Amino acid sequence: MSYVIEMLNIRKEFPGIVANDNITLQVKQGEIHALLGENGAGKSTLMNVLFGLYQPEKGEIKVRGESVKITDPNVANRLGIGMVHQHFMLVDTFTVTENIILGSEPRKKGTVDIKKAEKEVERLSQLYGLRVDPKAKIRDISVGMQQRVEILKTLYRGAEILIFDEPTAVLTPQEIKELIEIMRVLIREGKSIILITHKLKEIMQVCDRCTVIRKGEGIGTVNVPDTNPNELASLMVGREVTFSTEKQPAQPKEVTLAIQDLNVKDARHVDMVKGLNLKVNAGEIVGLAGVDGNGQSELIEAITGLRKVDSGEVMLNGKSITNLTPRKVTEAGISHIPQDRHRFGLVLDFPIGENMVLQTYHHEPFSKKGVLRYKEIYNKAKALIEEYDVRTPSVYTKARALSGGNQQKAIIGREVDRSPDLIIAAQPTRGLDVGAIEFIHKKLIEERDKGRAVLLLSFELDEIMNLSDRIAVMFGGSIVAEVKPEDTTEQELGLLMAGSKQQKAGGQ
Amino acid sequence: MFSNRLVNILIPLISVFLGLLVGAFIMLGFGYNPLTGYLSLWEGAFGDSYFFGETLRQVTPYILSGLAVAFAFRTGLFNIGVEGQVIMGWLASVWVGLAIDAPMIIHLPLAILAAALAGAAWGFLPGLLKAKLGVHEVIVTIMMNYIALYTSNALVRNVISDGQDRTERIPETASLTSEWLAALTQYSRLHYGLLIALFAAAIMWFILNQTTRGYELRSVGFNQDASRYAGMNVGRNIILSMVISGAFAGLAGAMEGIGTFGYQSVKGGFTNIGFDGIAVALLGGNAAVGVVLAAILFGTLKVGALNMPTSAGVPTELVDIVIAMIIFFVASSYMIRWFLLKMKKEGK
Amino acid sequence: GSSDGGSEEAEGNGNDNSNGEEAAGDDFSVAMVTDVGGIDDKSFNQSAWEGLKAFGEENGMEKGQGIDYAQSASDADYNTNLNRLVRSDYNLIYGIGFLLAPAIEEVADQNPDTNFGIVDSVVEKDNVASIVFKEHQGSFLVGVAAAMKTESDKVGFIGGVDSDLINKFEAGFRAGVKSVNKDIEVKVQYAGAFDAPDDGKAIASNMYSQGIDVIYHASGGTGNGVFAQAKDLKQNDADRNVWVIGVDRDQHEEGQINDTNVTLTSMVKRVDVAVQDVSTNAMNGEFPGGEVVEYGLEDDAISVATTNEEAMTDDIKTAVEDWKEKIVNGEVEVPSTIDEVKEFEDSL
Amino acid sequence: MGFLDILQSIIGPAIFFSAPLILTAIGGVFSERSGVVNIGLEGLMVMGAFVGIVFNLTFIDTFGSWTPWVSIFVAMIISAIFSIIHAIASVTFRADQVVSGVAINFLALGLGLFLTKQWYDKGQTDMVSRPFYTTDVPLLSDIPIIGPLFFSGMYLTSYVAIALAFVGWYVLYKTPFGLRLRSVGEHPMAADTNGINVSRMRYVAVMISGAMAGLGGSVFALTIALNFSHSTIVGQGFMSLAAVIFGKWHPLGAMGAALFFGFAQSLSIISSGVPLLQDVPQVFLLIAPYVLTILALAGVIGRAEAPKAIGTPYIKGSR
Ligand SMILES: Nc1ncnc2c1ncn2[C@@H]1O[C@H](COP(=O)(O)OP(=O)(O)OP(=O)(O)O)[C@@H](O)[C@H]1O
Ligand SMILES: Nc1ncnc2c1ncn2[C@@H]1O[C@H](COP(=O)(O)OP(=O)(O)OP(=O)(O)O)[C@@H](O)[C@H]1O
Ligand SMILES: [Mg+2]
Ligand SMILES: [Mg+2]
C-alpha cells in the first residue's frame, strides 16, 4: 500500500507561535483521511503548507514517494493537489465558470474561450455528479453550490489529491449528504481525500483513517473502523468529553415572542417570509429547523429590526415591536447572536473589550452624559471574558486577532449578559470544535432554565434535536410543522424540511 | 532592543530623516551644498522670532485642515472636499466680520462659529448623499471644491464687496490678530488661532475617543453592518462625520479669513490648505496628536522653503520632493518596521 | 541657480548693516517679492525682475548683491517674504502684483524705515510708492488694431478672473474697437481662472467658430489655450483669418506656427521700465513715497508690439500711432472701468 | 446660431476636454480593478505633461512632424516607470494606498518644477512649436450631420482615447489577463490559490495606470496647454478619479463619465452665447458642470460597487 502524500516532521512557525510542531501525516492512495483537532490546533496551517501557501521551517513532503518542494499553489496544482478552503476562495462577482477556469483559462486568439470552458464545466459536473449552473454568478447561488464550484475548481485542474478544510461547517444536512455522496464518487474515480472536520459523526461515516493533532503537535493516526467518537474526542481534547447535553424538561411559562401573519421581502423585493405565525414561551428553547434559504435569515432580521416588516405583527411580552429600530428592539429585551459573526457580531478592529458594550455603551455605567468610562467598560469586559472563557491575550486585543470560537464566546457572553427576555441564537456553534460547542449549549440551557425564551436557528439537525424543547420547521417562508424532539426522528424532520411528508428527501 | 511603542515613535522620525536624506542627495546631484540648503531652510523657519511666529501661523490652518481630513478618515470617509470647506469657512468668517457690528466678545465667536457652520454645511451635502443614496463621497467632495471656489469668488465680488477683488478688512472686533503675539514675534502674523487649532485637536481626540458619539462614529467607520446590528443609526453618523469634518475645515478657513489675512479675495485657484491637509492627516496617522506634529513639520518645511532660493539658490520645489519622500516613507512603515525587527534579531 | 549663492548672500547681509542705516549710493539695495506666478511667469513678475536686473547692471549689482527677489508659493507667503527682505536690510522692496497690496500695507506699517513699491495697486502710505499702469490705454490701442484687422466685424475678449484689474483691460479694448467702428461686435467672456488653458481653448474655439477673428486675452496661463486654438485653426487652414492679441509682454513667440504667426500684436506692459525708473529715483534720494506713479503710453511703459510686421500693416500702425497721439495729448480719455466704457460707448 | 452649429461648438470642445480624462481614467480603472487605489493620477498626469513637453522641446529636430506622437509615447513610458514608486509602496511595502498616492502627487509636481528650473532656469518651459493639431477625418467628415459633428476638427488623440477605452474594456473583460486582474482586486487570496501572482498583477495594473495617465497628461499638454508650468495640470487627475468612480470602475463607464464632464464643461462655456442663458450670472455657468455631475450621481447613477479588495494590501496567509 503506497502513500500518495507524506508530510514528515513538519514544523511551521508564525511570529510568536508554533502552529505545527513535528507533525507527520501519511495519506494512502484512494482513502479518505480525516484530520482532526481543536480550533487553532494547526490543521489549516498544515494543509496550507501542503498546498504551497506557506513554507515549512522544517520537514519533508513526499508526493507519490518523491520528495518535493511546494513553493506555491501552482506547484501544488502540478502535483495534482487541490484544496477546498475553509473560507471559500471564490470571486463573488464572477460566474461559476470564470471562477473555475481562473488562472488556467482556455484561450482562443488571446481571449478567454468561455464557450469551451462552459462545456468543460458541464462535462466535469456530469462526470462527478456536481450540479452547478455554469453561467450563474457566485453571489447568486447557495453555499452548497459554491462548494461544488470549489470542488470543480480542483478537478478542472486535474487534482488527484483533494483537501477539504471543514467543508461541512457551512452546509445544511441535505447538502452534507450530497457532499458525502460526492466524496464517495471521487474515491471511486481514483482520487484521495484529506478531510478536516469537527464532526466526529462524519468521520465515522466516511473516513478510513484519522490523524489527530493537538496544539500543533501530532497525536497519532488511528484506523476509523477500530475506534469510536468518544475515543476520537478525548484524543483531540486530551480529556473526556460528554456529548448529548444533559437538560431537565422545559417548564414553559407565558408567551414571550408572538409573531402573527408576518410577511417580509428580501432586498430584491421577493417575498421570503409569507404569513408566518410563531410563538416562543419563556423558559423554552424553540428550534427553527429548515433548509437554508427558506426565509430564516429574513425572519430573524425582521424580528430584530434589521429588515422592514411588510405586514403582520411581531409582539414581545404582549407589546408590538413591529418595525422598531434595532436599538428599540434590543432595549425591549431581545438579544441576538448573529449568524455572520464577522459581518454583524463584532467590530473586528475594536479591542475585544469595546466590543463587549456594542449595544450598551450609551448606558450607565459605561458612559455618563455622553462620555465613555473606559474603566467600567473594561471591568465589565474582563468579567465577561473570565466567565465565558474567552481566550485572548488581553481585553485590549483587537477582536480580529481572536479565533472564531473565542469570538463567538465573546458575543454570547455579551448577549446573554444583558438579561434579555428573548435570545435569538442563529447558528451559534458553526465551525466550532466540540469543546466550544459543549460550552455554548450549556449556556443556552442555563438561560432557558432562568426563564428566558430562546429561539435557536440551526442547520444542524443534531443541534436542533439535542437542544430544542419544541421544533418549528420552516419551509417556503412559513412554519409548516411544529414537533417535539422526543416525538420525531431526524429522518422525519428532514422530510418536513424538504417540504413534504410523503416524498423521500432529496427530491426537491 | 526596541519595544513596540518605541518603534511607533521611531518610524516617523526615521521617515523624516530618510526624506531629508533623499533631498540632500538631490541637492548634491544638482551641485548644491545640502548643508547650506538645509541651514537656510532652518533659518527660514526658526531663524529669529519673526520666522518662528510665521511658521506657527502657517501651522495653524494645517492643524485644522489635517484634523478635518483625519476625522473623516477615522470614520471611514475620504473627505477630499476640505479645500472647498476651507474656502467657505474663510468666506463666512469674513462676511460675518464685516456684516455685523458688535463688541468683540460677541463678534469674534460669531465669526468663528459662522466659519465652522459654513464648512459643516459644505460637508453636509456629500454626507447626506452618501448616507441616503450611497453616492461616493470622493466624487461629490471633488465637485464641491470647484463649486466653493466659484461661489466664493462671485460672492466676494458681487455681494460682499461692490465689484472689488477683495472684501474690506474685517474690524478689530472680529479679528484673531494679537498685538501681543505680533510684538513678541517682531510683527509676525501669529494670531490667537493657534490656540483654537490646538483646542480643536483636543476636541477631536475627546469626541472620537471619549464620547459615546465618537464610539459610534468609529464603529460605523469600521463596520456598518455591525453598527446597524448594534442599534446605531449609520446614515446619521455618516452625515455627522462629514459635518464635523467640514466644521474643522471651516475653522481652518477662519484662521486665514480673520487671522492671517483679515479679508477674502477673488481667488484665481485653490488655496491648497485643504489638499495639504490630506498629507498632514496621513502623516499624522489620523490621530489628533499626530496631526498637530505633522502640521508643525509641514508648516516648518513650507515656510522654511521660502528662504532656500534666496539664501542657498535651491528651488523651493525641493521641499515638495522632501515632503513627498517623507510621506512615502511613513506610508511604507512596514519596510522600516521589518528593518528594525531584523536589527533587533541580529542585536540579540 | 548656483551652489555658492548662500555664502555670498550671507556676506552681503552681514556687512552692509555695519555701515549704518539709510543707505545711498553704493549701499543701496533693492529686492522684490513675486506673487504666486513666480519669477518666470513670462509676465509681469518676470518683467519686473528684468527691470531690477537692468537696474543692477547699471549700478554694478547682481543677484544676492544689491538686488534679489523672493518667490511666493501661496498668498500666505507674501508677508513672510516681504519681512524676510526687510530683515535683510533692503532699502526698497517691491511687491509685484495687486495680490500683494494688503501685505505691503501691513509690512510698510510695521517697518516705516524701509521703502516699498507696489505694482498694479495703490497703497496709501508714506513709505510706499504705488506703481500703476494705464493698461486701458494700451488695451485701447490693441482694440484699434483689432478693429482694423477684423474682417467679420466681430472681435473677442477673454479675461482670466472677473476683477477690477482685468476689467480695465476689457474697458480699454472695447473703447478702442468701438472708436474705430462702433458697429463691430465685441464679445466678452471670463474663464474664471488664470490657470485654465482648457477653458481658454474652449472659449476661443467657440468664439472663432462664431466668426470672431481677433481675440484679445488678458488671462495669464488660460491664454495658452487661446493660442493653442488659434494655431490649430491656422494649421488647418493657412488662409483663415485668426488672430490673438497677447498681453503684458510681447507674446509673439507664442503665436508662431510654421512660418506664420497668429499673434497680431501684444499689449506690452513694461513693468521693467517702471521698476528700473522707480529704483533709480529712489537711489538718488527721490523715492516717490506716498505717491501713485502712473505709467502709460507717454513713458513708453505701455506699448503695442509690432513684431508681427506682416500682420501689423502700415495703416494699422499709422492708426495706432494716431490714436496714441490723441491719448497722450489728452484728446481722448480712455475709460478704465466697465461703467465708464458703457458711457463711452453710448457717447459714440 | 443654428442648432447644428451650437451642437458642433459644444461637441468639439467636449471631446478635447474629455480625451485626457478618458485616457487617465482608463488607467485608473485598471489600477483600482486590481485593488490598488490611485489618488496619484493627478501626479502621474503631471509627470506625463512634463515629459511630453520637455521631450517635444528637446527632440523636435530629431523627429520632425512625428515629435508629438513620439513625445506622448515617451511620456507614457516614463510615467509608467514613475508609477512603480506607487506600486512598490502599496504592493511590496504594504503602504496605505491613499497615502502613497498623495506622495506621488507631491513628488511629481515637485520633481517636474525642480527639473524645469534646473534645465530651463525658469519656472515654466517655452511653448512647444509642434503640438497636436486637429484634422478632418477623410471621407467620414463628409457624411452629412455626423461628419461635421464628430469627424471634422478633431484631434487624432481624441480618437485614440476613445479607441483605448474599448481596448481597455476588451482587455479587462475578454482576455485571461483581464479576468486575472479583476480577480486580484476582488479576492486576492482566491487568485493566489489559483496560482496567480497577486503582486505582479498589481504592479502591472499600477504601471498601466501610470502609462495611461502619462498619456493623458501629455495629450493635455500637447493639445491644450502647450507648455509645462505649475498650473498645467490642476485638478484633471482628480476629475479622472471621479470619472473612474462615476463610471463604476468600467473602462467604458469611465469614458462615458469623462465625456459627461467634458460635455458639461463645454456646455457651460457655450451657454454664455446662447440667447436664453446670456443673462444668467456667470457664476452659475461656472459651477454648472459640477452641479450637473452631483445631480447625475444623485439622480441616476447612485450606488456604485467598488472592487471588494480595493485599498487593502494583500498579505499572504492572512484572512
Ligand atoms: N496568519 C497567521 N498568522 C499568525 N498566526 C497564525 C496564522 N494562522 C494561524 N496562526 C496560528 O496557528 C495556529 C493554528 O491555526 P490553524 O488555522 O491552522 O488552526 P486550525 O486547526 O485550522 O483551527 P480551526 O479548526 O479553527 O480551523 C493558530 O492557533 C494560530 O495561533
Ligand atoms: N492575521 C492574524 N494575526 C494573528 N493571529 C491570527 C491571524 N489570523 C488568525 N490568527 C490566529 O489564528 C487562530 C485561528 O484562527 P481561525 O480564524 O482559524 O479561527 P477559527 O476558530 O477557525 O475561526 P473560523 O471558524 O471563523 O475560521 C486564532 O487563534 C488567531 O489568533
Ligand atoms: Mg477555523
Ligand atoms: Mg482551520
Side-chain angles (χ1 to χ4, degrees), chain A residues 17 20 26 33 49 66 90 111 133 159 183 214 225 279 299 302 390 400 413 456 461 476:
Chain A
I17 194 162
N20 289 165
Q26 291 169 311
H33 192 113
V49 167
E66 270 179 54
L90 296 173
T111 66
D133 172 2
M183 287 198 280
R214 191 195 304 156
K279 284 196 171 73
L299 169 64
V390 180
R400 185 180 292 287
L456 168 74
L461 285 187

Side-chain angles (χ1 to χ4, degrees), chain B residues 310, chain C residues 8-9 12-13 16 26-32 48-70 85 88 90-92 94 275-276 279 283:
Chain B
T310 329
Chain C
E8 281 170 20
E9 206 268 342
N13 292 344
D16 61 31
D26 286 346
D27 284 343
F28 189 75
S29 59
V30 198
M32 58 175 264
W49 177 235
E50 275 160 13
L52 261 195
K53 277 197 292 195
F55 168 77
E57 223 157 88
E58 255 175 32
N59 299 289
M61 305 167 173
E62 55 182 85
K63 183 173 182 301
Q65 286 181 318
I67 54 168
D68 209 343
Y69 65 81
L85 295 171
S88 304
Y90 282 93
N91 303 87
L92 171 58
Y94 293 101
V275 164
Q276 195 178 353
S279 304
M283 190 171 70

